[in-house]
Amino acid sequence: MIDTADDLRLDFLDARVVDVLERLEGDARTDGALLGAVGAELGHLGATPDSTALQTITTVAEEALLPVARPVGRLLYQLALATGAKTIVEYGTSYGMSAVYLAAAAQQTGAQVIGTELSPHKAATAAANLAAAGLADRARILVGDARETLRELTEPVGLLLLDGWIPLHLPIFRILEPILAPGAVIVSDNVSKHADKIGDFHRYLAARPERYVRTALPIDDGIDLITRVR
Ligand SMILES: C[S@@+](CC[C@H](N)C(=O)[O-])C[C@H]1O[C@@H](n2cnc3c(N)ncnc32)[C@H](O)[C@@H]1O
């Protein structure tokens, strides 16, 4: 059973971190019309959108936080601690909810979080939120199309969150695949909600059973927990 009161507790976090997370949760209660508009744009997005298509949906979603749910954030925090990953990457930072959970764990493990965000406004706000949580030195955000910005990374990635526009989860994964650390953990969010758009990613993983193990977890809108075996 998930989403019990214990699953929603944040009392293991610093008070400044909790303040920021709770403020973002309040800000995230956006109107249905905005979420509907984002969903409609997502429906049009193919697996290889050009920069115009990507900019269109990102502009529509400019005021939408679309953050990870609290149980997902808590799990990310746990995974960052458990893996001890020194480099943590996220595709899709938005206003910084998941980045704050990851950076809070990184503060304990000495890791660095590398976020990615196409919207300069969202990236700047996420950076301010990380600073307000006392976590500025644990995270940096690459501004621009993650399909380009992530190519600068060379260090082994021990934990990867895929939480951008879902048709791009596989393309982004493939960009980072050569630098995934052995035993790397990958979390792919919203996979039940957008089950019709994640099939290519699932087929890619299933075709490589010696390398990847995937378990679907029924948390919030569904997440895939993927481990790189070697
Ligand atoms: C679901 S939201 C991320 C929510 C965030 N992880 C959180 O918990 O607050 C998806 C974000 O991915 C960003 N995004 C989508 N495609 C992108 C790309 N190609 N490069 C960089 N950012 C992208 C969008 O602008 C949007 O803010």
Side-chain angles (χ1 to χ4, degrees):
M1 184 67 184
I2 57 170
D3 287 10
T4 63
D6 274 354
D7 292 317
L8 298 174
R9 288 170 63 159
L10 296 177
D11 53 3
F12 51 92
L13 294 168
D14 183 86
R16 289 172 72 186
V17 174
V18 175
D19 283 350
V20 171
L21 293 174
E22 289 183 340
R23 176 169 52 76
L24 287 172
E25 286 174 345
D27 292 347
R29 294 192 191 103
T30 46
D31 62 282
L34 175 57
L35 297 180
V38 175
E41 288 298 331
L42 199 53
H44 303 142
L45 206 66
T48 54
D50 61 21
S51 56
T52 305
L54 199 59
Q55 192 57 57
T56 300
I57 182 172
T58 302
T59 301
V60 169
E62 182 91 339
E63 300 303 323
L65 277 71
L66 308 170
V68 292
R70 193 181 284 200
V72 178
R74 286 169 40 108
L75 180 64
L76 292 171
Y77 177 85
Q78 289 182 266
L79 290 172
L81 293 183
T83 59
K86 290 302 173 206
T87 299
I88 301 170
V89 174
E90 71 170 6
Y91 161 49
T93 296
S94 191
Y95 286 78
M97 183 83 88
S98 47
V100 167
Y101 279 103
L102 291 168
Q107 199 164 46
Q108 297 185 45
T109 62
Q112 275 291 320
V113 177
I114 299 165
T116 58
E117 180 48 58
L118 188 62
S119 158
H121 165 67
K122 283 186 164 181
T125 310
N129 286 329
L130 285 156
L135 299 168
D137 60 341
R138 285 291 136 210
R140 66 186 171 104
I141 300 165
L142 307 178
V143 185
D145 187 340
R147 294 176 297 182
E148 301 303 325
T149 59
L150 285 174
R151 293 183 193 278
E152 78 176 45
L153 300 189
T154 54
E155 58 271 38
V157 175
L159 177 60
L160 168 64
L161 170 64
L162 297 170
D163 191 26
W165 307 140
I166 202 154
L168 270 64
H169 283 198
L170 176 57
I172 295 288
F173 176 81
R174 292 196 65 182
I175 289 167
L176 292 174
E177 194 173 12
I179 57 167
L180 287 178
V185 170
I186 300 100
V187 173
S188 177
D189 196 19
N190 300 315
V191 295
S192 303
K193 184 177 180 184
H194 299 297
D196 57 324
K197 295 188 172 58
I198 203 71
D200 56 349
F201 194 6
H202 288 173
R203 283 187 289 279
Y204 185 86
L205 297 170
R208 293 159 179 79
E210 75 292 350
R211 183 162 290 190
Y212 299 112
V213 180
R214 177 180 71 87
T215 300
L217 300 180
I219 303 176
D220 193 45
D221 289 327
I223 66 171
D224 280 331
L225 187 66
I226 302 156
T227 305
R228 179 182 168 135
V229 177
R230 58 190 152 101

